[in-house]
Amino acid sequence: MSLADLSLAQWRSFDLPTARTVAEEAAQRVGGQLTAVETVEHLGGPLHRVRIERHGQEFALIPGGALTLGFDLDAWQPTPEQAADYTESVEHGFGCGPDLRAYLREVLSPRRSVTLATLLMAVQDEELTEAPGDMPAVLAARGLRLPSADEWEHACGAGADTLFRWGNDCPLDRAPYGEDSGPRHQANAFGLRIAYDTYRTELTSDVTSVHGGDGGESVCGGYGALLAWLPLATANRNPSMAEFVYDSDGSDPYEDFSTRPVLAL
């Protein structure tokens, strides 16, 4: 079996020694060093986390295969508190659509089936050093590439079908900044520091979407508690922010944006 063909289901069936053998092969393949293999509990079963260091940068192994991505709005029901918070935002002129479900339909990717290759993805996003359109060439010079939007979403959610990578709820009594505790600060199931700060804006190869934050727009704008947390939702593609990033206004302050480089296997 090719490493790139390794599926998440197969990966979860491995015992720790087998996972370590596969991880060592991945490290050798990219000229890196295996620094950690650990097992965590995720979605009711074990999941192995792998870290590989290459040229001073840490990468996590992201198993692929046949996957389901996107958020199933038809199977989801907001809590009364979430619905009420969104209604208050609408009353103050924010949001889009008459209710929360309508708004989420505009900003979240739909439920769908995809097939992705297994890859290595940077544990930490990195700031852009050039304008968004120039970053593919910058990364290619380092043997890296931008992730696709599907790859980013899968890496963030790690198979979870909840609104956020940690579940469907978020604290509505505080904004998602200014504290160092809470689920958004914890590494995700694959060991990535991802969807952790709404002031971040991660770019992928898809110019119609951005991920993991909205540059702080919703927090600074006083949109309301839930709308401030939603940029961290796994399937949130934030089309309005993407439009800003890739037009002439967004190309100037490119240092405010980041991406999460990928190493192909």
Side-chain angles (χ1 to χ4, degrees):
M1 178 189 66
S2 165
L3 274 178
D5 294 331
L6 175 67
S7 72
L8 178 58
Q10 290 172 314
W11 177 248
R12 300 199 69 167
S13 73
F14 293 162
D15 58 19
L16 186 57
T18 302
R20 180 176 291 277
T21 298
V22 172
E24 289 172 345
E25 181 183 349
Q28 293 173 3
R29 182 77 59 86
V30 300
Q33 180 179 1
L34 180 64
T35 58
V37 181
E38 60 180 349
T39 304
V40 297
E41 187 77 11
H42 179 59
L43 302 179
L47 177 65
H48 308 299
R49 283 180 181 171
V50 170
R51 286 200 179 198
I52 292 172
E53 184 177 345
R54 175 184 178 271
H55 299 167
Q57 187 171 25
E58 280 195 309
F59 293 85
L61 180 70
I62 313 296
L67 305 160
T68 302
L69 298 181
F71 190 66
D72 188 355
L73 277 168
D74 295 329
W76 170 80
Q77 186 65 37
T79 66
E81 293 78 14
Q82 288 173 334
D85 191 88
Y86 180 76
T87 297
E88 185 175 347
S89 293
V90 171
E91 290 172 352
H92 286 84
F94 302 110
C96 175
D99 57 33
L100 180 54
R101 195 181 301 275
Y103 172 77
L104 292 179
R105 205 173 295 280
E106 293 293 323
V107 300
L108 301 184
S109 67
R111 205 69 171 154
R112 65 204 182 278
S113 297
V114 303
T115 300
L116 299 177
T118 291
L119 48 80
L120 299 178
M121 183 176 285
V123 169
Q124 177 69 52
D125 59 314
E126 59 180 69
E127 284 77 13
L128 270 59
T129 55
E130 298 290 344
D134 296 328
M135 283 306 297
V138 171
L139 292 177
R142 295 162 50 196
L144 304 169
R145 65 169 174 82
L146 292 166
S148 71
D150 285 350
E151 288 169 342
W152 191 99
E153 189 175 318
H154 168 55
C156 180
D161 59 3
T162 48
L163 185 59
F164 302 97
R165 59 181 174 86
W166 59 81
N168 282 319
D169 296 328
C170 60
L172 297 178
D173 60 346
R174 57 176 103 53
Y177 74 99
E179 59 178 23
D180 296 327
S181 61
R184 77 182 191 280
H185 289 296
Q186 298 171 3
N188 83 336
F190 290 135
L192 301 176
R193 188 166 186 244
I194 193 168
Y196 64 95
D197 184 351
T198 58
Y199 280 85
R200 309 296 287 180
T201 304
E202 293 193 33
L203 310 187
T204 66
S205 59
D206 182 351
V207 299
T208 67
S209 66
V210 297
H211 309 261
D214 64 356
E217 177 185 356
S218 54
V219 175
C220 294
Y223 288 8
L226 181 60
L227 291 187
W229 280 91
L230 281 174
L232 302 183
T234 301
N236 194 338
R237 299 208 168 182
N238 208 331
S240 62
M241 186 64 183
E243 184 177 356
F244 166 76
V245 168
Y246 288 102
D247 71 12
S248 58
D249 293 328
S251 63
D252 293 330
Y254 59 80
E255 300 92 341
D256 295 335
F257 311 133
S258 66
T259 191
R260 192 171 296 270
V262 161
L263 258 175
L265 291 172

